[in-house]
Amino acid sequence: MPRVRFAPSPTGYLHVGGARTALFNWLYARKTGGTMVLRIEDTDRERSTDAHTQVILEGLTWLGITWDEGPLFQGANLEQHQADVRALLNAGKAYHCFCTREELEAQRATAAAQKTGFRYNGRCRSVTPDEAAQRLAAGEEATVRIRMPDEELAWDDAVHGRISFQGHDLDDFVVLRSDGTPIYNLAVVSDDIAMQITHVIRGDDHVSNTPKQIAIYRALGAPEPVFAHVPMILGSDGKKLSKRHGATAVGDYQDQGIFPAAMRNFLALLGWSPGGDREILPEAEMIELFSLEGIQSKPAVFDTAKLEWMNGQYLSATPAAELLPAVTRQLGLLGVDSGSRPLEPLIDGVKARSRTILQLAEQVAVRLAGPRGEPDARGIALRKKLGSAFAEHLRRAVAVLESLPDDQWRAEPILAALTASAESAGAKLGDALQPIRVVLTGSTVSEPVNELLVLVGREAALERLGRGAAEMESVG
Ligand code: GLU
């Protein structure tokens, strides 16, 4: 059975790229009946914090990404890391390096001056184990370096296909610092072996680490996992996604009122395609259709408009009763009191045209309390275009609507009355209806006018339309 892991470093918030990596691991585990391990890579002691770990766990939970083992903490595995380094030393696959920091700095400076790129010159390769033991006993400090084999280090990446490096192009890198702590590549491989990870699914910023890690697997005589490097996420301008492009933390989207299911659906399609043009994928289908082969090798573009669209799809599919608490909270923030009016019909009336809870609450607020301030640009353009006819249409609408008895304040009778009145005045129906929309919503885009009038309610609608006509007349 496959065993996968998500291995975030708790040095910052949960980035959308990290969340997407977690999601792909989770989808693969759920698809294959495998196990998902959560491993917190907290070995960078200066930058790792418990608060970051909490934010990462909360973000994953919010997205509905669950794990079967963990959270395990890499820092707890120090002895195992050191044992693996000892095994490398005993097998002659690694050696102690006594070169001092100053010597290495000088070599780095020379390489930089010659623009050749630094590679360790291998001076301590020939230090025998006996000599090393003596020098250590005498109190000399040493790091441990892997003895890089002169062989091809290649793998069949599940996303990119065959990727190949040559051992002689890589240097004998440090696996253990002189203070006895492991460097990243050693700790990761040591943990992945101990946790019997079969598939390493991670960002393709780790491609360049992979040959080094393969060298460690081989030196330890351990089987290599399948590697799947998922493509980078770019902003709309084609540059690597960063804060310049807007929110990059999962928590920000939570705060913006994005549905976790919408966020998850959106993230899943960043670099993975289920085939065909399916976009809205409920959890079960996402799991069913997921495959590593379906991950694209070219970078994915983070399109905020698409996320909002997707959120709108989830919003309209959610029953009003479920949206009620969030909408009520937002109305409170907007300072709108719904009094005793039931909000569900209003929510149902506007949810198909809202992309976020925020937009939805604003639309509900407008229907409850009228638009705040001036109409939008199209509303103003319509007022200009119609001139004095704008108020005339409103006056005629008020007259005919006032004559409708209370029990006729329903969509069909309202439309019939407005249509008849426009016809008898020789006005185009669109011209007659648009001013109503602009006065009641501040915009030329809304639900059908008759439905809008029902949602606003008889008394408020007549009052606002009358006031709208009066305001236009006073402007002239
Ligand atoms: N901790 C590493 C990171 O945050 C991930 C290591 C891995 O997936 O191999 O990028």
Side-chain angles (χ1 to χ4, degrees):
M1 277 295 169
R3 289 176 58 84
V4 298
R5 85 304 195 272
F6 175 52
S9 305
T11 51
Y13 53 81
L14 180 61
H15 186 271
V16 288
R20 198 243 344 224
T21 299
L23 179 61
F24 284 1
N25 276 284
W26 178 80
L27 285 168
Y28 191 69
R30 294 296 169 262
K31 162 86 189 216
T32 57
T35 302
M36 163 90 164
V37 180
L38 178 61
R39 181 172 78 223
I40 305 294
E41 304 211 317
D42 56 347
T43 43
D44 181 344
R45 292 194 205 126
E46 265 155 39
R47 292 170 59 227
S48 299
T49 67
D50 290 346
H52 287 139
T53 300
Q54 274 318 313
V55 169
I56 291 169
L57 299 187
E58 279 163 23
L60 294 174
T61 306
W62 178 70
L63 284 168
I65 297 175
T66 51
W67 51 93
D68 309 303
E69 291 177 20
L72 306 166
F73 291 85
Q74 186 159 62
N77 302 338
L78 180 63
E79 282 176 20
Q80 166 211 305
H81 302 150
Q82 292 173 336
D84 278 338
V85 172
R86 270 197 305 279
L88 291 174
L89 286 165
N90 291 341
K93 310 276 187 181
Y95 58 90
H96 282 104
C97 171
F98 296 90
C99 295
T100 62
R101 193 181 298 262
E102 293 71 31
E103 285 166 341
L104 294 169
E105 282 308 321
Q107 288 170 27
R108 258 198 197 95
T110 312
Q114 295 171 351
K115 296 196 168 66
T116 50
F118 172 75
R119 276 179 59 182
Y120 175 60
N121 62 15
R123 190 177 70 168
C124 292
R125 269 191 160 212
S126 54
V127 175
T128 63
D130 284 348
E131 185 192 339
Q134 280 167 22
R135 290 172 73 172
L136 289 170
E140 260 190 81
E141 284 207 340
T143 59
V144 177
R145 288 182 183 273
I146 189 151
R147 202 181 291 277
M148 185 57 72
D150 184 7
E151 62 191 31
E152 187 187 24
L153 298 162
W155 71 98
D156 292 313
D157 197 280
V159 175
H160 296 276
R162 186 126 186 111
I163 301 183
S164 170
F165 289 81
Q166 291 299 331
H168 58 73
D169 290 332
L170 302 167
D171 71 351
D172 291 354
F173 62 92
V174 172
V175 288
L176 197 73
R177 299 183 187 93
S178 57
D179 65 1
T181 59
I183 58 99
Y184 158 75
N185 281 314
L186 187 283
V188 165
V189 172
S190 177
D191 284 353
D192 283 343
I193 294 172
M195 294 169 191
Q196 297 178 311
I197 299 302
T198 58
H199 293 71
V200 170
I201 306 167
R202 60 183 173 195
D204 67 8
D205 47 333
H206 285 291
V207 163
S208 61
N209 283 318
T210 306
K212 299 182 183 180
Q213 296 183 4
I214 288 177
I216 299 175
Y217 278 101
R218 290 188 188 164
L220 286 170
E224 294 155 37
V226 172
F227 290 99
H229 287 98
V230 304
M232 280 207 310
I233 301 179
L234 306 179
S236 45
D237 56 358
K239 304 226 169 81
K240 190 167 186 249
L241 187 69
S242 76
K243 285 192 181 150
R244 279 183 303 112
H245 298 104
T248 54
V250 168
D252 291 338
Y253 291 98
Q254 182 176 4
D255 294 346
Q256 286 174 21
I258 296 290
F259 282 98
M263 189 78 201
R264 186 171 62 188
N265 193 153
F266 172 76
L267 289 175
L269 297 181
L270 274 182
W272 170 65
S273 162
D277 46 14
R278 294 286 310 280
E279 302 258 57
I280 302 298
L281 294 167
E283 178 176 319
E285 266 173 75
M286 213 185 279
I287 292 171
E288 158 97 38
L289 294 171
F290 188 77
S291 73
L292 297 180
E293 294 71 43
I295 300 177
Q296 288 142 4
S297 55
K298 62 175 189 331
V301 175
F302 193 97
D303 178 354
T304 314
K306 180 163 176 188
L307 171 59
E308 285 199 2
W309 170 82
M310 189 155 286
N311 201 59
Q313 300 294 306
Y314 278 84
L315 193 65
S316 23
T318 307
E322 265 177 52
L323 300 172
L324 191 58
V327 174
T328 309
R329 195 171 54 243
Q330 281 303 329
L331 286 178
L333 294 175
L334 291 169
V336 172
D337 181 5
S338 59
S340 57
R341 280 201 60 177
L343 291 178
E344 272 104 329
L346 279 159
I347 295 175
D348 275 330
V350 302
K351 76 181 183 187
R353 267 171 309 280
S354 310
R355 299 195 153 186
T356 62
I357 283 279
L358 235 72
Q359 285 179 6
L360 187 148
E362 270 160 18
Q363 295 296 306
V364 169
V366 164
R367 279 146 192 78
L368 283 171
R372 273 176 300 179
E374 283 291 289
D376 64 16
R378 286 199 224 158
I380 290 176
L382 185 84
R383 281 202 314 214
K384 278 220 185 87
K385 181 183 139 205
L386 292 180
S388 61
F390 190 93
E392 283 160 26
H393 289 305
L394 288 174
R395 287 279 177 225
R396 206 170 345 93
V398 171
V400 68
L401 291 173
E402 260 174 349
S403 68
L404 270 187
D406 258 1
D407 66 350
Q408 291 291 294
W409 197 262
R410 287 180 287 109
E412 299 83 56
I414 289 177
L415 184 60
L418 289 173
T419 311
S421 126
E423 260 170 26
S424 69
K428 279 198 231 147
L429 187 60
D431 284 351
L433 299 187
Q434 278 299 61
I436 301 179
R437 206 174 243 139
V438 170
V439 168
L440 294 184
T441 69
S443 159
T444 54
V445 187
S446 81
E447 62 273 49
V449 166
N450 53 338
E451 290 171 23
L452 171 65
L453 286 160
V454 173
L455 289 183
V456 172
R458 186 173 203 270
E459 203 184 323
L462 290 174
E463 191 267 324
R464 286 176 208 160
L465 292 176
R467 191 150 37 90
E471 274 168 19
M472 284 305 288
E473 285 156 354
S474 73
V475 176

